Amino acid sequence: MINKSLKYYILALAILFGLSPFANSIYANINEFSTLSLAPNNDADDEEEDDEDDEDDEEDDEDEEDEEEEGDEEDENDEENDSIANDNEEIIITDKDGHEDIIEVPGGMAIDFDELVNQYNAQQYLQTDTTCRMSNENPEYPQEVYMDRLKRMPTAIEMPWNEVVQKFIDRYTGRLRRSVTFMLGASNFYMPIFEQALEVYGLPLELKYLPVIESALNPNAVSPVGAGGLWQFMNATGKRYGLKINSMIDERRDAVKSSYAAAHYLSDLYNIFGDWSLVIAAYNCGPGNINKAIQRAGGKRDYWEIYPYLPSETRGYVPAFIAANYVMTYYCEHNICPMLTKLPVQTDTIMLYKNLHFEQISQVLGIDIKELRTLNPQYRRDIVTGYSEPTDLRLPVDYISKFIEMEDSIFAYDVSDLMKRDLVDVNDGPGYTARKPVTRKYTRSTKRVTKARKRGRSAKVRASKKRKTKAKAKVSKKRKARKAPAKKRTSKKRRR
């Protein structure tokens, strides 16, 4: 019994430290010592133990094979995930000659559904329609049906059909079905804001679906190149159209302000190109790239003519815009149920002239800090910067009067650990030793250098004095030379 328990103990240690192939030899060496000191050896027990060792070694080999198979499966799963990620970000178009054209999808089509529904607005005001009895299957229709539906949409912007547009329609009605359900529900929040801004600038209202393909109606979306907000403004473009962007504020996330800035930008682009398809393309890649494509296409100013000369994402941008208009109009025909929307509470703004942290408002008024962030997404660090300039804070209407009544308590609530300090004291305690002033010690070498410098300076002074005296001598000689003939002439006249 002692030998058998020792055997199991040695085997367990060998497996733990990866020495299972040497377990038998280790046990044999220890067993010799045990036979001398403890008890006589039992051959039958040894045979049984050897059989058990063989079985354990076989089990270890099987475990290693299983681990290798699991590793291969993990590698295959990683490859599948990479291919799925690429499929989410690309669409492949095959032309008549069999050539493949890889088109990058706009950023809004690559945002994950889980990221959308985890927003505060989605959790508070959106919910799945459990009463929807539609099948989850996406029906297929002939080409003529899609053409007829696009033609029936009341839009000022041209909405043609082609194979590229069809690919994007299939993507929205197929793989992105759940995202479309979210965007249909969230459109109740944002579409009135977009339409109002477009109306002010006299633009076609179908442009309200640009944020669908840009950000999937996620106000906090940020692209890999740094574009942000619902309309995905780049930093420089946002500042050019009046949006404040710094370390504390990013008004690209403000639905109202960014919508008016986007409408202004689209209006300027239309004044440049005079064609809405080119305007939409320029919104994606900039007017400079559109002008280059027009030049390469021989001066043609049609989006579908300059299509081959556009960047990869822009080649799919206008088709994605057409597909977004289609799916947001004909979602019922593809068995897509919008998420149910509860109307959010009415809000109003109040002007602040001091810095204020969201935590102060939340603790004193009892409002959820997540709701404050959702209503004021432009404040990056939960701080309203009122000291810089008067700044607006958006609150539910019910909290406006409470804020005014308890304003002193709100500002007095201490969150010093969350705010920047206005004044700090320097630690000059016992452990602090002031630095002694440095006194310059002159050695012989430094004295020589200083003397040499002085000699050099005095030499320069003497040289400059010599130059000045020479110059004065030359001037005096010239003056004398000029005066000499005059004296001679006067003397001759006197003689006459």
Side-chain angles (χ1 to χ4, degrees), residues 448-459:
R448 289 172 185 170
V449 171
T450 53
K451 286 181 180 180
R453 287 177 180 173
K454 288 180 180 179
R455 285 196 298 270
R457 289 171 188 168
S458 60

Side-chain angles (χ1 to χ4, degrees), residues 244-298:
K244 286 187 290 186
I245 304 169
N246 53 47
S247 298
M248 305 299 291
I249 298 177
D250 186 356
E251 290 185 341
R252 295 177 297 176
R253 302 178 183 179
D254 188 304
V256 177
K257 294 179 180 178
S258 65
S259 296
Y260 280 89
H264 190 179
Y265 183 37
L266 290 167
S267 178
D268 288 347
L269 290 174
Y270 186 76
N271 291 333
I272 296 172
F273 297 106
D275 179 89
W276 282 114
S277 294
L278 294 180
V279 167
I280 295 168
Y283 188 87
N284 175 252
C285 67
N289 286 322
I290 300 300
N291 286 326
K292 291 177 186 177
I294 290 172
Q295 291 177 355
R296 290 169 182 163

Side-chain angles (χ1 to χ4, degrees), residues 278 293 296-298 300-310:
L278 294 180
R296 290 169 182 163
K300 296 177 181 177
R301 301 180 66 84
D302 182 89
Y303 173 83
W304 302 104
E305 292 289 341
I306 68 172
Y307 179 86
Y309 307 102
L310 294 170

Side-chain angles (χ1 to χ4, degrees), residues 206-399:
E206 52 268 28
L207 291 169
K208 65 186 177 183
Y209 293 124
L210 273 178
V212 169
I213 62 175
E214 283 285 357
S215 62
L217 300 185
N218 178 8
N220 297 316
V222 179
S223 74
V225 295
L230 289 163
W231 294 86
Q232 289 291 284
F233 268 110
M234 292 297 290
N235 211 327
T237 309
K239 288 183 177 180
R240 194 185 313 141
Y241 285 89
L243 298 179
K244 286 187 290 186
I245 304 169
N246 53 47
S247 298
M248 305 299 291
I249 298 177
D250 186 356
E251 290 185 341
R252 295 177 297 176
R253 302 178 183 179
D254 188 304
V256 177
K257 294 179 180 178
S258 65
S259 296
Y260 280 89
H264 190 179
Y265 183 37
L266 290 167
S267 178
D268 288 347
L269 290 174
Y270 186 76
N271 291 333
I272 296 172
F273 297 106
D275 179 89
W276 282 114
S277 294
L278 294 180
V279 167
I280 295 168
Y283 188 87
N284 175 252
C285 67
N289 286 322
I290 300 300
N291 286 326
K292 291 177 186 177
I294 290 172
Q295 291 177 355
R296 290 169 182 163
K300 296 177 181 177
R301 301 180 66 84
D302 182 89
Y303 173 83
W304 302 104
E305 292 289 341
I306 68 172
Y307 179 86
Y309 307 102
L310 294 170
S312 175
E313 184 179 338
T314 310
R315 290 202 300 273
Y317 196 76
V318 172
F321 173 74
I322 297 172
N325 275 267
Y326 173 89
V327 75
M328 298 295 279
T329 306
Y330 295 106
Y331 56 89
C332 285
E333 282 73 6
H334 292 272
N335 296 327
I336 298 175
C337 295
M339 295 184 75
L340 295 178
T341 307
K342 293 188 297 182
L343 290 177
V345 294
Q346 294 182 348
T347 61
D348 199 357
T349 57
I350 187 169
M351 299 302 295
L352 298 180
Y353 300 88
K354 297 180 183 178
N355 288 2
L356 187 66
H357 198 284
F358 285 173
E359 191 70 26
Q360 294 173 286
I361 307 169
S362 176
Q363 292 296 329
V364 177
L365 296 185
I367 184 173
D368 190 350
I369 195 168
K370 292 181 180 179
E371 186 173 3
L372 288 172
R373 291 170 181 157
T374 301
L375 295 175
N376 302 275
Q378 67 271 29
Y379 298 114
R380 288 178 162 179
R381 307 182 191 280
D382 294 350
I383 298 175
V384 184
T385 54
Y387 277 126
S388 302
E389 57 182 325
T391 309
D392 60 292
L393 173 72
R394 185 169 294 277
L395 292 172
V397 172
D398 296 340
Y399 285 91

